[in-house]
Amino acid sequence: DRAQLCDKELIRDRFGKRLRKAMNARGLKWNAFAELLGISQPEIARYSTGKNLPGIERLASMALTLGVSTDYLLGLSDKEHEE
């Protein structure tokens, strides 16, 4: 369904922007962040550009590594940290 596709694209785009913002705030480049997570740089690039979304375990690892909430990365909250 077209409406779902638009929503998925919006979610991926928002995730990529939030991920880049959190990485930049911590001075992390794709290669350094990928190394911290134990994944490839191209995989981080796909997440950062909104081409892919991580699975739940990877999402949790990213959030913990960046010190932000999963809700923030997914665009469900504008607060970086849970209160």
Side-chain angles (χ1 to χ4, degrees), residues 22-62:
M23 288 171 57
N24 287 338
R26 284 141 192 90
L28 289 171
K29 302 287 185 203
W30 288 353
N31 58 343
F33 189 50
E35 190 173 316
L36 287 172
L37 295 173
I39 61 176
S40 70
Q41 183 177 339
E43 191 170 351
I44 291 294
R46 287 190 296 273
Y47 297 142
S48 297
T49 57
K51 287 185 174 40
N52 287 5
L53 282 173
I56 191 74
E57 291 176 359
R58 173 107 351 107
L59 174 64
S61 293
M62 290 174 152

